[in-house]
Amino acid sequence: MRYSKISDYQIKKILHSFSLELTAVQTAQQVHLNRHTVERYYHLFREKIVVYEEHQMQQLSGEVEIDESYFGSRHRGDKRGRGAPNKIPVIGILKRKGKVYATVISDVSAKTLVPIIEKLVSRSKTNVYTDQWRSYDGLVLSGYKHHRINHSQEFVQNHHHINGIESFWSYVKRKMRKHNGIARHKFYLYLKESEFRFNHRNQNIFALLQNIVFKS
């Protein structure tokens, strides 16, 4: 940022617009800059958010919900759900009344999912909630207290639900739709931006972003 040809004041104006989720076109009009310049800064902001979110991640414990979702445009006749072609699979791990962590994965096999869970979810004093996908079968053997939710029979039974992580998926997809298509190689940046905004949704996003962008 310090080597930019525009002033810190202009960068802060762009950052403020970014915090309000204005488009690059809207911001360019407000700050009287080229749209491509604004898009470049938006990209830099997202890169810094990724670094921040990855550094903030700690093992989750307590009541933890785990689920996967798929992102990408849908075409007529495409298969839905797990195994859908041309979709980007993502795993989400959410601590109830706490933070969420989401990352892109290569597939939804146990070989892929279980090591991520073992790294990010504590076995001590933790209840893990998932649906009945077979890749979660080994969590009990890994030392977790594992509860399964059968969506075909019930969505909520006392604490037995994954409504929190499903609400996060809905939140992310609403954010993604505003961009009218995201290139696959940029998807992770937008995913982590959504994670950041969700985790800090009750805080001053602009103030946080200033610390991340100018002090990191």
Side-chain angles (χ1 to χ4, degrees):
M1 293 295 178
R2 71 184 65 177
Y3 302 110
S4 171
K5 293 181 180 180
I6 67 175
S7 67
D8 282 355
Y9 174 78
Q10 287 175 302
I11 295 173
K12 285 183 179 179
K13 291 274 287 185
I14 296 171
L15 186 63
H16 184 255
S17 295
F18 178 82
S19 73
L20 297 175
E21 300 186 76
L22 299 185
T23 67
V25 172
Q26 291 171 320
T27 300
Q29 291 171 346
Q30 289 193 6
V31 298
H32 307 293
L33 289 170
N34 183 280
R35 171 175 62 86
H36 298 296
T37 299
V38 174
E39 287 176 342
R40 180 164 60 88
Y41 277 96
Y42 273 24
H43 183 81
L44 290 171
F45 298 157
R46 291 187 175 104
E47 287 184 329
K48 288 194 173 279
I49 286 171
V50 167
V51 173
Y52 174 82
E53 284 296 289
E54 290 178 345
H55 285 173
Q56 290 291 304
M57 187 60 214
Q58 297 178 341
Q59 270 204 330
L60 302 179
S61 61
E63 306 285 306
V64 175
E65 301 177 21
I66 302 172
D67 192 31
E68 334 87 59
S69 190
Y70 291 81
F71 292 82
S73 59
R74 183 171 28 183
H75 303 283
R76 182 174 295 179
D78 278 357
K79 179 182 176 182
R80 293 190 179 190
R82 293 178 173 109
N86 304 317
K87 296 284 190 176
I88 301 174
V90 176
I91 184 173
I93 303 174
L94 175 140
K95 175 181 172 66
R96 290 180 184 169
K97 299 181 180 180
K99 291 189 175 183
V100 66
Y101 174 82
T103 192
V104 175
I105 50 180
S106 57
D107 56 62
V108 294
S109 66
K111 184 178 179 181
T112 296
L113 298 181
V114 173
I116 295 173
I117 295 168
E118 289 178 339
K119 179 181 178 181
L120 298 176
V121 181
S122 171
R123 293 173 177 81
S124 177
K125 298 180 181 179
T126 300
N127 288 298
V128 172
Y129 301 88
T130 73
D131 63 15
Q132 294 192 316
W133 178 235
R134 61 179 179 270
S135 293
Y136 299 122
D137 287 350
L139 291 181
V140 171
L141 296 178
S142 295
Y144 292 101
K145 189 174 182 181
H146 181 203
H147 308 274
R148 293 175 177 273
I149 290 82
N150 186 343
H151 283 326
S152 65
Q153 295 179 5
E154 59 191 355
F155 282 91
V156 178
Q157 182 183 15
N158 298 323
H159 293 287
H160 292 196
H161 63 81
I162 52 173
N163 291 354
I165 190 64
E166 290 180 339
S167 293
F168 173 68
W169 295 140
S170 296
Y171 175 90
V172 175
K173 289 177 180 180
R174 284 197 306 273
K175 299 291 183 186
M176 298 286 186
R177 281 196 294 269
K178 294 172 62 176
H179 297 289
N180 297 316
I182 296 170
R184 197 178 187 95
H185 69 280
K186 294 182 179 179
F187 174 80
Y188 185 68
L189 295 176
Y190 287 83
L191 175 67
K192 300 305 277 189
E193 178 193 349
S194 295
E195 175 188 298
F196 169 78
R197 291 183 184 275
F198 183 88
N199 285 338
H200 302 285
R201 59 195 180 280
N202 297 319
Q203 297 173 253
N204 186 325
I205 292 293
F206 179 51
L208 284 169
L209 285 171
Q210 287 189 89
N211 286 328
I212 293 169
V213 169
F214 292 104
K215 296 182 180 180
S216 60

